[in-house]
Amino acid sequence: MTMKIKYTHQITTMKKLAVLLSIPLLLFSCGNNEKGKSIEELIESENLSEIRAKKTELSKEQSDLTQKLDKLDQAIDRLDKTRRLDLVMIQEINDTLFKHYAEVQGDVATDENIVVYAEFSGILQDLRVKEGEQVNKGEVLAKIDDGGLSSELAQLETQATLAKTTFERQKRLWEQNIGSEMQYLEAKTNYESMQNSVNRLKSQLDKTIVRAPFSGIIDEVLTEEGEVVNPGQSQLFRLVSLKNMYVEADVPEGYLNKINKGTEVLVEISSLGREFEGEVKRVGNTINPNNRSFSIQIAVPNENGMLKPNQIATLKLNDYTAENAVIIPENALLKNAQGESVVFILQEKEEGEDNIGIAKRQIVKTGYTYNNKIEITSGLETGETLIVEGAKNLRDGQEVKIRN
């Protein structure tokens, strides 16, 4: 009995192979019978209409043969009790939240990263900080020799005090109708002039004291005590604050209507192996003509001070979001001969084993793809069972076995 089954199976397989081998012979025969011309002769004739007609004819014959082969395969599958079913893996289709991200490169930056320059000309006589030292806003970093301004200020303040006393006495006399108005006005003008001179000299003297414009770290000391410094030319310190950090990046112009203030962003710092969640805090209002892009800024936390200016960051910008979306693994999607997107779903058999079903081919429409997942916009419904592995060599209506 066993020998008979094997012999029957071999005959069925040989018949199927004979049909497959006959296809090229049939096509070749058709190619040689068109008005007595072979395919080569038809091509050499360069008659476009005849060539197209022959192609249409052969395509139809090929399609008919394919359909006949499919029917034979189905009959063989139905009659051959010894066949081995293709194994597949499945998953149920559920709707979910789908987010697509566009990736761009950016740089970590901070507005509080400056070089402190001298504002007064003189000798740097008192350097009070070292590299790596934490300083507070307004703290004195250095002093420049004032070149005698302090002595000049003391003299002016004495003169201003005398002018004030004279003015106040003249004012009292004028209120008692004693003295002339001219004396009163001269005393007032002299006092105000002396006071302005004092304030102007104090302002100049204040520039001899170098203070921290904000709280931060002295990253570099760029001068030495005893050097002559000049305003706007001599660099004294580099002061950096790592508290208010952000990532700056250029985004292609095509995303202008998708990226707005508040857009969700994932910030990946590969050098630290960390990823932050953030949002766009500023969108540039101009397009760079050199690379057709606009700038954005994303605030990032830096609690432990690990982020440094000019570090490279990868930004994942949420440019598309779909609620209740149908999402499938990208490798479950196939393409047919017409270039259409195809998937296979599993249908239960009316009778039979629980782990055997029917593979049903369905044409679908796709949307965005991200992170090996693809959005299906039509052709699949929630609750259907998708074949996610083993679908590559399946045909419509084929029986398959579910792999646990």
Side-chain angles (χ1 to χ4, degrees), residues 103-122:
E103 293 190 6
V104 297
Q105 295 294 318
D107 297 309
V108 179
T110 176
D111 290 332
E112 296 179 329
N113 177 14
I114 66 169
V115 173
V116 180
Y117 283 82
E119 295 185 273
F120 191 82
S121 180

Side-chain angles (χ1 to χ4, degrees), residues 122-125 144 222-229 234-236:
I123 299 174
L124 188 66
Q125 62 178 189
I144 302 172
L222 303 172
T223 187
E224 294 182 0
E225 198 171 285
E227 287 190 0
V228 176
V229 296
S234 302
Q235 299 181 352
L236 306 181

Side-chain angles (χ1 to χ4, degrees), residues 85-86 88 346 355-359 387 394 398-402:
L85 300 179
D86 288 349
V88 298
L346 185 75
N355 64 339
I356 294 180
I358 304 296
I387 296 177
L394 297 181
Q398 178 180 342
E399 284 190 2
V400 293
K401 186 175 183 179
I402 302 170

Side-chain angles (χ1 to χ4, degrees), residues 125-140:
Q125 62 178 189
D126 189 7
L127 194 60
R128 297 191 176 186
V129 292
K130 298 178 181 179
E131 291 183 355
E133 187 174 338
Q134 178 76 42
V135 296
N136 298 317
K137 182 179 180 179
E139 184 177 334
V140 177

Side-chain angles (χ1 to χ4, degrees), residues 143-158:
K143 284 187 176 183
I144 302 172
D145 181 36
D146 60 23
L149 279 183
S150 54
S151 300
E152 186 178 344
L153 177 62
Q155 293 178 2
L156 275 177
E157 286 178 335
T158 301

Side-chain angles (χ1 to χ4, degrees), residues 159-380:
Q159 295 175 11
T161 300
L162 178 60
K164 180 181 180 182
T165 302
T166 302
F167 165 66
E168 290 174 347
R169 181 169 35 168
Q170 199 65 41
K171 181 180 180 182
R172 287 194 300 270
L173 292 174
W174 173 248
E175 289 172 349
Q176 297 173 12
N177 294 324
I178 300 174
S180 66
E181 181 181 6
M182 183 61 69
Q183 291 175 322
Y184 166 72
L185 293 177
E186 286 179 351
K188 180 181 179 183
T189 301
N190 185 50
Y191 168 62
E192 290 176 349
S193 177
M194 293 298 298
Q195 191 61 46
N196 288 336
S197 296
V198 169
N199 292 336
R200 185 169 57 253
L201 202 57
K202 281 183 176 180
S203 177
Q204 290 182 346
L205 195 60
D206 189 58
K207 293 179 180 179
T208 65
I209 301 175
V210 182
R211 302 179 186 274
F214 53 82
S215 298
I217 298 173
I218 301 297
D219 196 48
E220 290 182 88
V221 176
L222 303 172
T223 187
E224 294 182 0
E225 198 171 285
E227 287 190 0
V228 176
V229 296
N230 296 299
Q233 298 179 8
S234 302
Q235 299 181 352
L236 306 181
F237 312 97
R238 176 174 290 278
L239 180 63
V240 180
S241 173
L242 300 179
K243 290 185 178 180
N244 301 317
M245 305 291 287
Y246 61 88
V247 175
E248 192 170 40
D250 291 332
V251 180
E253 183 179 2
Y255 290 94
L256 193 58
N257 63 339
K258 299 178 182 179
I259 306 301
N260 304 292
K261 186 177 180 180
T263 295
E264 178 188 342
V265 185
L266 299 178
V267 182
E268 181 182 349
I269 310 295
S270 58
S271 60
L272 299 179
R274 295 190 60 186
E275 188 173 81
F276 306 91
E277 291 185 2
E279 61 180 36
V280 176
K281 73 171 187 177
R282 189 186 73 81
V283 177
N285 295 310
T286 59
I287 301 297
N288 187 335
N290 296 323
N291 57 9
R292 308 308 305 172
S293 66
F294 61 95
S295 63
I296 61 171
Q297 287 185 1
I298 300 92
V300 289
N302 193 24
E303 297 176 357
N304 55 6
M306 293 297 292
L307 287 180
K308 308 296 182 185
N310 302 317
Q311 273 183 303
I312 296 176
T314 299
L315 302 182
K316 300 176 182 179
L317 306 166
N318 179 212
D319 61 338
Y320 173 77
T321 300
E323 297 182 357
N324 302 321
V326 174
I327 306 300
I328 68 171
E330 192 175 3
N331 59 3
L333 189 71
L334 307 173
K335 291 287 185 180
N336 62 15
Q338 290 73 39
E340 297 171 314
S341 297
V342 175
V343 297
F344 280 88
I345 63 171
L346 185 75
Q347 293 182 340
E348 294 182 358
K349 294 184 64 177
E350 295 182 1
E351 297 179 359
E353 301 178 47
D354 291 338
N355 64 339
I356 294 180
I358 304 296
K360 178 68 176 178
R361 181 172 55 196
Q362 288 191 190
I363 296 175
V364 297
K365 300 293 183 182
T366 60
Y368 282 89
T369 301
Y370 183 73
N371 199 22
N372 299 322
K373 302 289 184 180
I374 188 165
E375 178 191 22
I376 303 300
T377 56
S378 67
L380 278 181

